[in-house]
Amino acid sequence: MLRLTRLEIRNLRAGYGRVEIIHGVDLEVGEREIVAIIGPNGSGKSTLLKSVVGLTNIFSGNVRLDGLELVGRSTEDIARAGVAFTPQVDNIFTNLTCDENLELGGYNISDKRLLDRRKAEMYNIFHEIGRLRDRRAGLLSGGERQMVALARALISKPKILMLDEPTANLSPKAASSVAKKVLEIKEGGIPVVLVEQNVKFALDLADRMCVLVSGVKTFEGSPQELMEMDLQQVFLGLKGRSGG
């Protein structure tokens, strides 16, 4: 099935300082698609997301959003181009209220009435936090904090959403709520790339899977294709396969 590519990563080599962590990775993300990146701890999953948003050193390769080259641009410019990134930690300001967090997410919206409309839209989508808008974010539960982080990322209407371990330290119930919201985001037309340690969560949610091992892509394909393979070999990097 032909899909419209929104994000295109080609032969990316990236890391921190002079240390290369991502080794020649290719990845595409299509319209209305969830791509999950899984792999062992320390395999470069979060580094790959951070490379897209300009938080690493890019040694070579390309990152394009709707054909626009992102390599060499500042993190702020990349955000303006339409990439929203929610890190695993420090993804909200705990000393501010929910409402203040959303306002910071819409910092580039100069029209106060438009910002108010966008906030109302977010509270309609994330109704769980609507009644908590004046509560300090540090007093929220883990699931509620994640909803605030998602709303804060989406208020600027990005072209793509990147999530680093959205279910980390969440209860099964809260993780299920996050999964439903991520699906709604995709169905609303915003593709999602997520790094996830919870492999079952990723398999249930994603349209395509990408496995990284020591910074190298060892598999790309559907969840069904991945389940038909020897996962131990894939995760050890002994048997790679790339598809669709």
Side-chain angles (χ1 to χ4, degrees):
M1 179 180 177
L2 183 65
R3 67 177 186 273
L4 176 64
T5 299
R6 302 301 303 272
L7 181 71
E8 181 183 16
I9 299 172
R10 286 283 175 260
N11 195 28
L12 186 66
R13 297 182 178 275
Y16 306 100
R18 297 182 179 180
V19 180
E20 183 176 300
I21 295 173
I22 301 297
H23 310 297
V25 169
D26 292 329
L27 187 66
E28 292 183 2
V29 182
E31 191 175 42
R32 294 181 185 273
E33 185 175 42
I34 298 174
V35 176
I37 303 171
I38 63 173
N41 287 330
S43 60
K45 303 183 298 296
S46 296
T47 300
L48 181 58
L49 294 194
K50 291 176 181 177
S51 297
V52 173
V53 297
L55 295 174
T56 67
N57 290 339
I58 306 295
F59 302 118
S60 65
N62 303 97
V63 180
R64 298 187 181 98
L65 178 68
D66 290 342
L68 176 69
E69 180 63 66
L70 301 182
V71 173
R73 296 177 181 268
S74 69
T75 298
E76 186 175 354
D77 282 346
I78 292 170
R80 284 200 185 102
V83 181
F85 173 53
T86 300
Q88 178 185 351
V89 295
D90 298 328
N91 54 20
I92 60 171
F93 293 94
T94 56
N95 60 325
L96 300 180
T97 66
C98 294
D99 209 63
E100 289 168 337
N101 269 278
L102 264 60
E103 287 190 1
L104 283 176
Y107 72 95
N108 60 340
I109 303 173
S110 56
D111 186 328
K112 178 68 165 57
R113 288 177 297 180
L114 176 58
L115 179 59
D116 287 342
R117 285 200 301 271
R118 293 277 181 86
K119 285 195 296 182
E121 289 176 18
M122 291 301 103
Y123 289 130
N124 185 50
I125 296 169
F126 300 95
H127 55 84
E128 297 92 338
I129 61 172
R131 58 186 174 81
L132 305 171
R133 63 184 69 190
D134 296 320
R135 183 172 299 182
R136 193 159 56 86
L139 301 176
L140 303 179
S141 68
E144 290 164 346
R145 289 188 190 196
Q146 196 59 257
M147 295 295 176
V148 173
L150 289 172
R152 183 169 171 264
L154 292 172
I155 196 168
S156 61
K157 293 191 179 297
K159 295 179 179 179
I160 190 167
L161 175 62
M162 313 192 76
L163 304 174
D164 192 356
E165 304 218 21
T167 67
N169 303 315
L170 295 187
S171 68
K173 182 178 179 180
S176 178
S177 295
V178 170
K180 290 177 183 177
K181 295 302 180 185
V182 172
L183 284 171
E184 289 174 13
I185 290 165
K186 180 192 83 164
E187 292 304 319
I190 300 175
V192 179
V193 183
L194 62 93
V195 162
E196 188 54 68
Q197 283 294 106
N198 184 335
V199 175
K200 184 180 185 307
F201 175 90
L203 286 168
D204 289 343
L205 195 62
D207 300 295
R208 280 190 302 121
M209 307 291 294
C210 171
V211 179
L212 286 188
V213 178
S214 299
V216 175
K217 185 176 73 174
T218 61
F219 173 87
E220 181 185 346
S222 70
Q224 293 77 16
E225 289 171 323
L226 181 58
M227 290 303 295
E228 291 170 1
M229 300 185 69
D230 184 331
L231 294 184
Q232 185 174 6
Q233 287 198 334
V234 173
F235 270 61
L236 289 174
L238 300 176
K239 186 176 181 182
R241 184 177 132 200
S242 182

